[in-house]
Amino acid sequence: MPTISIKGKNMPESPIRKLVPYAENAKKRGIEVFHLNIGQPDIKTPDIALEAIKNNTIKVLAYSRSEGSEEYRQKLANYYIKHNINVNADEIIITTGGSEALLFAMGSVCDPGDEIIIPEPFYANYNGFSTASGVTIVPVISKIEENFALPPIEEFEKLISSKTKAILICNPGNPTGYLYSKEEIQKLATIVKKHDLFLIADEVYREFVYDNVQHQSVLSDFGLENNAIIIDSVSKRYSMCGARIGCLVSKNKEVISTALKFAQARLSPPTFAQIASEAALETPQSYFDEVIIEYKARRDLLISELSKIDGIKVASPKGAFYCVVELPVDNADKFAQWLLEDFNLNNQTVMVAPAAGFYSTKGFGTKQIRIAYVLKKEDLITSVKILKAAILKYNKN
Amino acid sequence: MPTISIKGKNMPESPIRKLVPYAENAKKRGIEVFHLNIGQPDIKTPDIALEAIKNNTIKVLAYSRSEGSEEYRQKLANYYIKHNINVNADEIIITTGGSEALLFAMGSVCDPGDEIIIPEPFYANYNGFSTASGVTIVPVISKIEENFALPPIEEFEKLISSKTKAILICNPGNPTGYLYSKEEIQKLATIVKKHDLFLIADEVYREFVYDNVQHQSVLSDFGLENNAIIIDSVSKRYSMCGARIGCLVSKNKEVISTALKFAQARLSPPTFAQIASEAALETPQSYFDEVIIEYKARRDLLISELSKIDGIKVASPKGAFYCVVELPVDNADKFAQWLLEDFNLNNQTVMVAPAAGFYSTKGFGTKQIRIAYVLKKEDLITSVKILKAAILKYNKN
């Protein structure tokens, strides 16, 4: 019998998706499950993007260029310039989702055994990509009590070794919802320049910032032309998760030419989805205004409802559409499974993402969960009611 | 200045695409370029697939399941059963092109430093994926004089070490057009079972076989339930290269559960393209019949025209839509570039893929090119005329 690779054995299961069978069983028993566990927005995709697909005149569905279509990259450069990110089309490589951009970035800057420092908790799939690439994640703990603000820069500096190749941030953060300030990015800029590191910034939630605070891109005004790599995606921006279109942006020519070689090996990003993504760039500002108002209202409602639960700690999110919550339970993994297997309130329950999977340090986040506020307000209210009743019952058992 | 990874430096440039700038310059000078270099068919995508996209009723373009949509995998299993490949939906993982299936297969069975034995010449991007995965390709030479038939099985056996994890074949072959016989697959089956290796078979050209010979899948009747992994794709089958939908098929449960973890990290394959691919399964047999007649006619014409050129060696292809040709020139790389930079016949020239990029042994295939017969017959005739005149002129210089 041939055997699987060690890498394959070490690949993590998705902590977000591993509860799926329990949810499916609950549904089979007639229980309604509110999905707080996954960042799949319920917001409609812009009509302009969907119409572009319906009106396509393709006869031969051909490969596009490995770096993505010229027209799309040109228009995308204009989008970035509007966001104070001064790049041109040659500094953009279109990828199959932000996922592939991250894989290309890791492959371009790291060899097996190299290290990337990441503030934790972090987006769980960073674990998957680093395992696939043979990269070691070195975590820096950020704290729920500080809303997951950037840890002191000395904590990063302590961890930098000859193996360190990059610092990776997600801004605004998944799962934290934290939005880094100009001062925080400035501190990161100073340290990566001092130590010749890359600063990889996952900015897929760029538009999702509330409270009139401005998003700070690593490619804005920090002098990081050589160091910065942006990971981006249309998934959340236009509620087009299924398109699988993202991009890698860098002004470092060697990064681009290297990432292009990875892109050539897989031939091209999906053609239909590029058509939709190019059209989506014409989405009117009113679409975003409405979406932001909706998410802000959901966030405010969620935080206010959650804070009524005794013994709970909530990090107040400033962006994206997630928040991390510490529950008064012994173990969030067990609790999340119990919610689906053994609990219901009026035949309804909730599915949450246990936060331990967002940490790479063993034993951290075991009482925390991530909630994605991608449901409409009345469902969020119901969900928090369910959560409150569940905690009471769970702790009585 | 931060530095690129060694892996990134070692990533090969696409040998097929690296001549693109020369072709673009030729076009700017008003030269018509016939593209014999890339496997982008001119055949129309089935209407049924394109209509499914136009008639989609998606409002929120959501993630699909990481392993691909249930409906599509069910229907795909029926397709395989029709082709004497007895699999069910749970033994299929939908990928972003055959490319990603190969990446998942390599990651699932190999750790960095592990080896895969591949008959060469082989599909150039196998080099890219193996570099990205840290896998060492160990080539076994197959010969143009033998139409690139399977090398003697003793040659494989000599190369097997404790690091060998798999044998990889492409059947029918890109770039060779060779179709392995039942006896050849049987020999491979025996050796992989004897040494507990995986047999990875890239069968994306399954339908493209001529001369009434039957394609032999590694998952047909060879008892390879534990060993075989099929790489597949809709790209060539339905002329849907831009869809970026493929799949990995295996009856080895550990392979599937491991590949699924790689799939979860990148969330899901593209949704629109899955809709098109599912619909494409209903393509009537008449579509394939016409396509095969067309490709067979092109192949026969191409081989007959090429054989009129003095000093040329042609491997006679039995499948796919490529053939490898050895030219009477000093260096096919130089010649291919010269064709684009310095030559034209009545303002026309051809772009070919130098075959050295399809070998991993340095110095092999330096006089060979790959021709993709994806152009209509009159263009193939013109192309060979250009090639003939070019060889004469090039050798006079």
Side-chain angles (χ1 to χ4, degrees), chain B residues 152-166:
Chain B
I153 206 72
E154 301 75 42
E155 297 300 315
F156 287 85
E157 197 130 25
K158 276 184 208 162
L159 298 168
I160 293 172
S161 75
S162 62
K163 287 187 173 174
T164 312
K165 291 297 152 69

Side-chain angles (χ1 to χ4, degrees), chain B residues 62-341:
Chain B
Y63 290 122
S64 74
R65 294 173 66 146
S66 296
E67 62 270 39
S69 88
E70 185 72 20
E71 297 74 18
Y72 178 39
R73 286 181 300 119
Q74 288 287 357
K75 289 184 188 171
L76 203 50
N78 292 336
Y79 158 88
Y80 284 117
I81 289 167
K82 271 186 220 154
H83 285 77
N84 194 27
I85 298 168
N86 180 26
V87 293
N88 63 49
D90 294 339
E91 294 162 338
I92 301 171
I93 289 180
I94 306 302
T95 55
T96 307
S99 303
E100 193 181 61
L102 193 65
L103 200 62
F104 289 176
M106 283 192 176
S108 298
V109 312
C110 286
D111 287 302
D114 284 346
E115 297 175 354
I116 297 185
I117 300 175
I118 315 183
E120 71 177 350
F122 53 77
Y123 176 47
N125 285 330
Y126 295 167
N127 278 320
F129 297 122
S130 62
T131 305
S133 304
V135 171
T136 303
I137 290 180
V138 176
V140 185
I141 298 284
S142 65
K143 293 181 184 150
I144 194 167
E145 293 79 8
E146 294 164 1
N147 290 325
F148 301 108
L150 193 76
I153 206 72
E154 301 75 42
E155 297 300 315
F156 287 85
E157 197 130 25
K158 276 184 208 162
L159 298 168
I160 293 172
S161 75
S162 62
K163 287 187 173 174
T164 312
K165 291 297 152 69
I167 293 172
L168 168 57
I169 58 171
C170 183
N171 185 32
N174 172 8
T176 64
Y178 189 77
L179 182 70
Y180 290 118
S181 67
K182 192 164 185 176
E183 291 67 34
E184 287 173 314
I185 302 288
Q186 188 56 60
K187 283 181 192 169
L188 288 167
T190 304
I191 198 174
V192 296
K193 282 192 274 190
K194 179 176 166 192
H195 294 279
D196 278 335
L197 306 178
F198 288 101
L199 180 58
I200 305 172
D202 177 345
E203 300 184 353
V204 305
Y205 299 97
R206 181 179 301 114
E207 273 80 0
F208 300 94
V209 297
Y210 315 114
D211 314 322
N212 296 315
V213 184
Q214 205 188 331
H215 177 261
Q216 300 290 332
S217 171
V218 291
L219 269 180
S220 297
D221 303 307
F222 299 99
L224 288 173
E225 287 68 19
N226 290 331
N227 308 73
I229 302 174
I230 292 178
I231 306 301
D232 215 335
S233 166
V234 304
S235 293
K236 314 293 164 153
R237 185 165 305 141
Y238 309 108
S239 196
M240 282 171 53
C241 296
R244 313 313 299 131
I245 290 291
C247 65
L248 179 152
V249 186
S250 182
K251 296 188 79 73
N252 180 317
K253 287 192 188 348
E254 234 185 328
V255 168
I256 291 294
S257 65
T258 305
L260 178 59
K261 293 190 286 182
F262 284 92
Q264 285 178 342
R266 61 75 165 120
L267 304 169
S268 73
T271 297
F272 282 133
Q274 279 185 87
I275 293 171
S277 301
E278 186 180 330
L281 285 169
E282 308 295 327
T283 303
Q285 185 56 37
S286 58
Y287 173 90
F288 293 105
D289 294 343
E290 285 169 28
V291 168
I292 299 303
I293 288 169
E294 177 64 23
Y295 276 123
K296 183 181 180 316
R298 289 177 184 185
R299 179 200 65 167
D300 293 345
L301 178 73
L302 176 70
I303 301 298
S304 128
E305 291 296 308
L306 283 171
S307 61
K308 294 176 190 165
I309 301 179
D310 280 346
I312 215 168
K313 268 188 218 169
V314 191
S316 182
K318 294 192 172 74
F321 36 67
Y322 306 100
C323 76
V324 174
V325 182
E326 192 160 299
L327 302 177
V329 298
D330 57 344
N331 182 294
D333 259 298
K334 265 172 62 188
F335 177 66
Q337 188 174 331
W338 177 86
L339 275 168
L340 295 167
E341 275 197 303

Side-chain angles (χ1 to χ4, degrees), chain A residues 1-14 17 24 38-45 50 53-66 96 99 103 106-112 114 123 125 128-129 132-133 165 196-198 226-227 235-236 239-244 252 254-255 258 261-262 264-273 276, chain B residues 1-14 17 24 38-45 50 53-66 96 99 103 106-112 114 123 125 128-129 132-133 165 196-198 226-227 235-236 239-244 252 254-255 258 261-262 264-273 276:
Chain A
M1 183 87 160
T3 54
I4 292 302
S5 63
I6 298 167
K7 180 197 279 184
K9 283 184 187 139
N10 289 343
M11 277 295 288
E13 283 195 307
S14 164
R17 292 176 178 231
E24 283 174 357
I38 190 161
Q40 170 56 60
D42 60 342
I43 303 287
K44 277 191 187 169
T45 306
L50 296 174
I53 290 293
K54 292 194 174 185
N55 298 331
N56 86 80
T57 55
I58 286 173
K59 297 289 174 208
V60 179
L61 183 57
Y63 290 122
S64 74
R65 295 174 64 146
S66 296
T96 307
S99 302
L103 201 61
M106 283 193 177
S108 298
V109 311
C110 287
D111 287 302
D114 284 347
Y123 176 46
N125 285 330
F129 297 123
S133 305
K165 291 296 153 68
D196 279 333
L197 305 179
F198 288 101
N226 290 331
N227 307 72
S235 293
K236 315 292 166 155
S239 196
M240 282 171 53
C241 296
R244 311 314 299 133
N252 180 316
E254 234 186 329
V255 168
T258 305
K261 292 191 288 181
F262 284 92
Q264 286 178 341
R266 62 73 165 122
L267 303 169
S268 73
T271 296
F272 282 132
Chain B
M1 184 87 160
T3 53
I4 292 301
S5 63
I6 298 166
K7 178 196 281 184
K9 282 184 187 139
N10 288 344
M11 276 296 286
E13 282 193 309
S14 164
R17 292 179 178 228
E24 282 174 357
I38 190 162
Q40 170 56 60
D42 60 342
I43 304 288
K44 277 191 186 168
T45 307
L50 297 174
I53 291 294
K54 292 194 175 184
N55 298 332
N56 86 79
T57 55
I58 286 173
K59 296 288 173 208
V60 179
L61 183 57
Y63 290 122
S64 74
R65 294 173 66 146
S66 296
T96 307
S99 303
L103 200 62
M106 283 192 176
S108 298
V109 312
C110 286
D111 287 302
D114 284 346
Y123 176 47
N125 285 330
F129 297 122
S133 304
K165 291 297 152 69
D196 278 335
L197 306 178
F198 288 101
N226 290 331
N227 308 73
S235 293
K236 314 293 164 153
S239 196
M240 282 171 53
C241 296
R244 313 313 299 131
N252 180 317
E254 234 185 328
V255 168
T258 305
K261 293 190 286 182
F262 284 92
Q264 285 178 342
R266 61 75 165 120
L267 304 169
S268 73
T271 297
F272 282 133

Side-chain angles (χ1 to χ4, degrees), chain A residues 18 29 47 98 136 145 202 223-224 232 242 259 290-291 300 305 327 337 347 350 364:
Chain A
K18 71 182 176 186
R29 296 195 312 272
D47 284 337
T136 303
E145 293 79 7
D202 177 344
L224 287 173
D232 215 336
E290 283 169 29
V291 168
D300 293 345
E305 291 297 307
L327 302 178
Q337 188 175 330
N347 274 324
V350 294
F364 273 71

Side-chain angles (χ1 to χ4, degrees), chain A residues 131-147:
Chain A
T131 304
S133 305
V135 171
T136 303
I137 290 179
V138 176
V140 184
I141 299 283
S142 66
K143 293 183 184 149
I144 195 167
E145 293 79 7
E146 293 162 3
N147 290 325

